[in-house]
Amino acid sequence: MRYAETGFNLEVDLTRGNIERVPSDPGMTEHYLGGLGTNARIMWDRVGPEVEPFSPENLLIFGTGLLAGTPAPGTNRTIVTSISPQSGLLAFSMMGGFWGPELKHAGYDKVIIRGKSPELVYLYINDDQVEIRDASRWRGLGTLETAEVIREELGDPNVQVASIGMAGENRVFFASIEQGRASASRQGMGAIMGDKNLKAIAVRGSKDINIARPMEFMEHCNAALKYIEHRDKNPIRGVIPILAGLGSPQEMAVHDEQWHTENFMWGNARERRKGFWTPEIQEQWTGTMEGMRTRLLSCHNCPMKCGASIAVDKRFCSYMMKCFSKLTYTMAAYSDLDFGLRMAQKATEYGVDAFSCPQTMAFAIELHEAGILTDQDMSGMPKENNDRFFWLMDAIVRREGIGDVLADGTWWAAKRIGKGAEEFAHNNIRKTEQLPLKLGMLNPIYFLMYATGEKANITQIEGQFPQSPFLTREENEAFVEDWIHVPDDRFKEWFVEWEIRGEKSIPNYPSVEAACEIVHWQEQMHYIDDSTGMCAGLSSFPLKPPFHIHNLPGLISSGAGLDLDEDGLVQTTKRIRTLVRANNLRRGMTWEDEKPPEDHWRHRFPELEAKLLQAYYSFKGWNSDGVPTRETLHDLDLDFVAEEFAETGILKEEPVGSAT
Amino acid sequence: MSAAVKTVKTKTVKRIRIDVDKCNGCRACEVICAAHHAQPRFSSTNPARSRIRVIRYPLSDIYVPVLAGEYTAAECPGRDRYVIGGKEYEECAFCRASCPSRDFFKEPDSDLPLKCDMCESDPTLEEPLCVQWCLADALVYEEYEEEAKDEPAPDEVDEGLLALAHRHGWERVRDAMTRMANKAPGA
Ligand code: SF4
Ligand code: SF4
Ligand code: SF4
């Protein structure tokens, strides 16, 4: 019997209309857990470096995390993996909600899509019954609208649907896959789904998910719930409200947006508006939110309610929202919250990423103001500011006129536009738009995370170590008192010593060595979550979460019937992380791509940065080019990677016996 | 001095108060109920086997947790539809029956009816598990005393048999029972 996982994947060839239920190898689970880990291995084995994103050979994998659907709170993640049209690299976009557990209950760990359907179709999975069904009459329908018509057609209100909208159908590079309460938004997974002519995957399941050592497993679950209640009553003191609690940032519940509106950048990641948050704005925006938000919503088996039903021009609910998408449209357009929530409703139906899309539109407005995009390029654009954004989004998702260029995101659009447009695509790493954040002094921890994070987003790497010290050493000391989450007490010492100003402040503190370890720890926690399907909101993202490196080995082991201790889990995570990197290195990524945007910090330190990067590479067991060494690969049972890298010249053979 | 005291026999009624406005739709109640009733306990989970189901229509903002009640062989001939505060609830939304009209409250493999037993277990739990796991307080456990009437509660085995009889006829059930009883160890 298999535990936590089902032991079966669904292989769907859309070109031939072929569907197969294929048993998976338990050895893969031991080596890579599930979710991102096993996705990365399948991509390595089956999608060579020559495969283009929009090629029938590119796979689109919906991989549930190893623990998804078990009683462990917050285990509901599906990792969507493919080659990103935007970066050309391995994508691993994540979605919560209810879809993943439903797939598990239907009896599958992953849906692996290959080929391209000649017509627009959707996949219907109902336990052992799996069908490819016609969706051609739904072309152009919104993501939520699609889910509704599918439920109607199937006569089952409880089917969980992941679908694309017009953006995905038209291969907009930042198209998302939406499933109601959640979405896989980053890295253009909706475009790949659209390219495959797959409108939706509808799932219903009624099978058991087994737990290997139930009593031990439930102890972990119950302890986590207790701790969540404790943390709810004891928010972290001295930090802004959204960092004080658990879950994804509580954007739906919190009204005080001073921090975001005054610290994040407006427009095309350009301007910081100090003093923006006045009592009048606070009152207006609170009114908007309270008028439109009808309920706070959780994902499957999680108490955190990070999302909300939002009613735009409807009484009860027109869509569901979460997180910072609350403000990205508002801030890109220099508008207000009412506009932002209305725009987000359209964006959800069209299916676009709430970071890349607003920024791309603001970029277009800037190019127009600078005369790089002409009135003719923008012909038909309304005069009024808010209307312009609605107009731009419509053009982008339809790929009409200038929208066709913008639909490739700022990096590719700038290349196509030329005439100096590249300067305006200033907020990318690996061709992908980043959080609109521009700061003063370089922070060595964040430098490393931005540079080397192979996820598209800083929020997918950061989390465990506070972003800055408290005002006083006493507060630092108070913070570390119940900081049981650190891998080692050294981390507490580093934090206690950290100062806002003075000798032990950024950029030279934490030291290069400490920065490497801090980054490694934070990143590791995210890779664990992405492989187990645990929501970052209960584990890798917030300060002092219920799940951490000391209790996760027990949770994973007792749930899945593995025998992992802390060292074992650390080693497994390293293997997964290294294999993700290997996938990207063979696709041509190099150390030169490991660069935060030029203007991310006003004060830069090229020498320190080079030192940080080299120290981090060597800490990770990578050579000075950022390629894992043969020894590292061997230690991680990744000799097959070493062999290919030696053949292709990515790893240069070191001369044998040269040392005397 | 002594007076004749009229003793009133009372019983403790266990109740779960359901606040639909507080429900965040997480289905933790389904997950834990199914796990609790798995054999061995917590060895699996499956909301399809849960004795509480959350009727969800996200785009109508409808979330109604319903606890499984009595088994019924036939669906109601007439139905109702509630409109509360402008929200229109589906037919049977508030009904607790394990009923042929819907796939809730039945074992997925055998179709045998499921009924909430208030997490009866030994030792007795402080609170039913769905309540414990609902941190949103959409489910709140309450107990109160009520005058007892001498009505035996329907037995779970009786109910299961009744359901089988409705599906297959008494004769087949009787035959199967005799056959199996003869084969049972110690028979
Ligand atoms: S913490 Fe928030 S985002 Fe994460 S699973 Fe829970 S409700 Fe969903
Ligand atoms: S656990 Fe509570 S909040 Fe979650 S679905 Fe059940 S009743 Fe609603
Ligand atoms: S009280 Fe127990 S048996 Fe009844 S629905 Fe809740 S968890 Fe299930």
Side-chain angles (χ1 to χ4, degrees), chain A residues 73-77 96-97 181-182 246-250 297-307 322 533-539, chain B residues 26:
Chain A
T75 49
N76 50 47
R77 257 47 190 172
R181 163 66 182 75
L246 296 173
S248 303
Q250 294 296 304
L297 295 173
S298 279
C299 302
H300 180 91
N301 191 22
C302 177
M304 291 316 304
K305 34 182 206 289
C306 311
K322 69 268 166 192
M534 172 68 72
C535 175
L538 292 184
S539 174
Chain B
C26 71

Side-chain angles (χ1 to χ4, degrees), chain B residues 16 33 37 51-52 67 116-119 128-130:
Chain B
I16 293 175
C33 177
H37 289 89
R51 293 144 201 241
I52 179 168
L67 297 145
C116 164
D117 58 6
M118 285 282 167
C119 290
L129 279 168
C130 56

Side-chain angles (χ1 to χ4, degrees), chain A residues 69 71 98 102 105 148 157 204 206-211 214-215 218 221-222 225 229 295-303 309 315-318 320, chain B residues 20-21 23-28 31-32 35 41-49 53 56-61 63 85-87 103-104 108 133 135:
Chain A
F98 296 86
E102 199 71 36
H105 284 300
E148 288 302 291
R204 184 74 199 273
S206 67
K207 298 188 188 184
D208 298 347
I209 294 172
N210 300 311
I211 302 301
M215 288 306 157
M218 291 312 294
C221 298
N222 286 318
L225 285 180
E229 282 185 294
R295 183 185 300 263
L296 294 177
L297 295 173
S298 279
C299 302
H300 180 91
N301 191 22
C302 177
S309 309
R315 221 168 122 197
F316 299 114
C317 175
S318 5
M320 287 145 267
Chain B
V20 296
D21 290 332
C23 177
N24 60 41
C26 71
R27 305 179 71 185
V31 171
I32 193 62
R41 198 155 277 179
F42 302 118
S43 60
S44 69
T45 188
N46 182 358
R49 294 186 200 281
R53 295 308 296 266
R56 311 162 80 249
Y57 288 88
L59 287 183
S60 311
D61 193 45
Y63 297 85
K87 285 184 200 168
D103 63 3
F104 282 5
W133 275 49
L135 301 195

Side-chain angles (χ1 to χ4, degrees), chain A residues 181-201:
Chain A
R181 163 66 182 75
S183 61
S185 290
R186 302 240 74 197
Q187 303 175 306
M189 295 298 88
I192 302 294
M193 195 155 158
D195 182 60
K196 298 196 172 305
N197 250 331
L198 182 61
K199 181 71 175 164
I201 307 183

Side-chain angles (χ1 to χ4, degrees), chain A residues 41-57:
Chain A
R41 179 63 201 255
I42 292 170
M43 292 298 283
W44 176 271
D45 288 343
R46 291 169 55 181
V47 182
E50 72 293 345
V51 175
E52 297 288 331
F54 296 135
S55 137
E57 277 78 52

